Each structure stands twice: as structure tokens, then as C-alpha cells.
């Protein structure tokens, strides 16, 4: 693996020097602030894919939600903010991302119904089942990781629960096929700016 500024964000312990930042964004008609840092995904702004999923995601009023590969926490934190009766768990393999997400949960005043756990995919939530699983999956980490994320979601969703992910349109073929394979259904919820939001429902 290349080190320094070229290091991939999908690692347990980034080695790049810590350089902090702060992002301000209007999402779902609310204002949020997120601490960011080197060694995490999209550290300078909310990327277009994440923004599209946030603006499109369909959430129950209550229950249990999971943000897999949460990065500094934007998706899960917005979900917790707009659904105060929904419990949201955020997970990531990247220790620096988990540290930032925990800071951001507190900073955005959602600690009453959001928590952050460290682990690869579903390691930190064994034994739990969810009403919705959300992710901007790490395509750059490889299709095996993406397939494991989708397969794992099919095993951990309650009946009627949904997996909602965002992918670049030009890379959507395989993730869409995985969702069809493991769920037996998939739909394109939204297309915009070169991205697609895909949803599958556990039947």
C-alpha cells in the first residue's frame, strides 16, 4: 500500500499526518457541521454521492438503522437528526473516521439516538437486525467488499427492511447485480450527477 497522502481511506489505522478541517452543509433543509481530517473519505466537502443518498434516503419513523462505512458520519448523523425516534448505529473500519464520527455525533446534538462503533462491515453489530441499512460503499476497496456488504445486509435486515446505497452510475452494474442476487429485487430510486441510489427490500 502506498503511504502518506496517497494512502487509501479504507484502512484500520491511517498513517497520514492528522490535518483537521470543518465542513458546513445544508442537508434535508437543516444545517450541519462535520469535523473532517486527512485519511478519511471526502475530507473537503460532502461528496455528490453521499449528498444524493442523504437527500433521497427513505427512513422509518422509529426502529434501528445502520450506516455502514460511515466515514466522518454525515449519512447516519442526518438520519438521526431528522428521525429522533430512530436509533442509528454508525460503523467504520477506519479508526480516525470513527473518532471523527463520534465528535460529529456530539457536535450535531444527536448523541441521544446515534452511536458510533469501530469494525469492518458488520463486525461491531453482530446479533442485531435493522429496519434500514445505508451506505456509500467503498467501491475502491474492491468488489469483494461491496458484495460482502450487500450479502451481509440481506442477512441482517428485518422483513420489510431496506438496503439503500449510492454508487457511481458507470460502476453500478455489479452492485446492482449483487442486490438482485441476494435480495431478489432492486430498484433505482434516483439518478443525478453521475450517481445512482439503489434500494433493495428484504421480503
Amino acid at each position: 500500500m502506498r503511504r502518506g497522502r496517497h494512502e487509501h481511506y479504507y484502512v484500520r489505522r491511517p498513517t497520514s499526518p492528522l490535518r483537521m478541517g470543518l465542513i458546513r452543509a445544508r442537508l434535508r433543509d437543516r444545517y450541519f457541521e462535520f469535523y473532517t481530517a486527512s485519511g478519511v473519505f471526502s475530507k473537503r466537502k460532502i461528496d455528490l454521492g453521499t449528498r444524493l443518498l442523504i437527500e433521497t434516503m427513505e427512513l422509518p419513523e422509529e426502529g434501528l438503522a445502520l450506516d455502514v462505512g460511515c466515514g466522518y458520519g454525515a449519512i447516519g448523523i442526518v438520519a438521526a437528526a431528522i428521525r429522533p425516534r430512530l436509533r442509528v448505529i454508525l460503523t467504520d473500519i477506519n479508526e480516525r473516521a470513527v473518532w471523527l464520527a463520534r465528535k460529529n455525533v456530539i457536535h450535531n446534538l444527536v448523541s441521544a439516538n446515534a452511536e458510533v462503533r469501530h469494525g469492518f462491515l458488520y463486525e461491531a453489530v453482530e446479533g442485531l437486525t435493522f429496519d434500514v441499512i445505508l451506505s456509500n460503499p467503498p467501491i475502491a476497496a474492491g468488489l469483494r467488499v461491496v458484495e460482502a456488504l450487500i450479502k451481509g445486509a440481506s442477512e441482517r435486515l428485518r422483513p420489510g427492511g431496506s438496503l439503500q446505497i449510492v454508487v457511481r452510475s458507470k460502476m453500478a452494474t455489479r452492485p446492482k447485480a449483487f442486490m438482485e442476487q441476494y435480495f431478489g429485487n432492486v430498484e433505482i430510486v434516483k439518478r443525478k450527477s453521475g450517481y445512482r441510489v439503489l434500494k433493495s427490500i428484504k421480503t
Side-chain angles (χ1 to χ4, degrees):
M1 177 186 296
R2 291 179 296 175
R3 299 289 180 180
R5 66 186 180 90
H6 298 293
E7 179 180 59
H8 197 276
Y9 64 89
Y10 205 70
V11 295
R12 284 192 181 268
R13 187 167 297 169
T15 59
S16 56
L18 179 64
R19 297 185 181 90
M20 295 289 294
L22 183 68
I23 291 173
R24 295 179 176 89
R26 189 168 188 263
L27 302 161
R28 298 290 284 248
D29 295 323
R30 300 186 184 207
Y31 288 96
F32 295 87
E33 290 186 342
F34 301 103
Y35 291 105
T36 70
S38 52
V40 300
F41 175 65
S42 196
K43 63 181 181 291
R44 293 187 177 89
K45 64 179 182 179
I46 304 292
D47 69 287
L48 293 174
T50 295
R51 180 178 288 274
L52 183 62
L53 179 57
I54 287 172
E55 297 295 346
T56 307
M57 60 187 177
E58 301 169 6
L59 303 170
E61 290 295 327
E62 56 189 11
L64 187 58
L66 177 64
D67 176 3
V68 183
C70 66
Y72 48 80
I75 295 168
I77 286 169
V78 175
I82 65 175
R83 293 290 189 272
R85 290 185 290 142
L86 182 67
R87 181 185 170 207
V88 183
I89 299 176
L90 301 83
T91 67
D92 204 291
I93 190 175
N94 184 320
E95 292 178 356
R96 190 174 294 177
V98 168
W99 173 69
L100 289 166
R102 286 175 176 157
K103 285 175 65 70
N104 288 329
V105 162
I106 295 168
H107 187 65
N108 288 281
L109 306 177
V110 294
S111 55
N113 65 317
E115 65 171 295
V116 184
R117 301 182 183 185
H118 177 250
F120 174 68
L121 295 181
Y122 303 99
E123 282 179 348
V125 293
E126 285 299 325
L128 296 178
T129 55
F130 298 89
D131 298 286
V132 62
I133 296 176
L134 308 161
S135 187
N136 183 348
I139 300 290
L143 285 172
R144 287 186 180 180
V145 172
V146 176
E147 182 178 8
L149 187 154
I150 292 168
K151 181 176 184 290
S154 72
E155 298 164 348
R156 289 167 177 84
L157 280 166
R158 297 167 183 163
S162 67
L163 169 66
Q164 300 171 45
I165 70 171
V166 63
V167 293
R168 287 185 180 272
S169 295
K170 64 183 180 181
M171 299 177 179
T173 301
R174 293 295 297 281
K176 187 170 179 284
F178 292 144
M179 292 171 78
E180 181 68 45
Q181 175 184 348
Y182 291 109
F183 285 87
N185 66 85
V186 61
E187 66 172 303
I188 300 170
V189 178
K190 185 79 172 181
R191 293 184 179 92
K192 187 177 180 182
S193 304
Y195 289 88
R196 297 182 183 189
V197 173
L198 306 177
K199 180 175 78 168
S200 291
I201 297 174
K202 175 98 174 252
T203 58

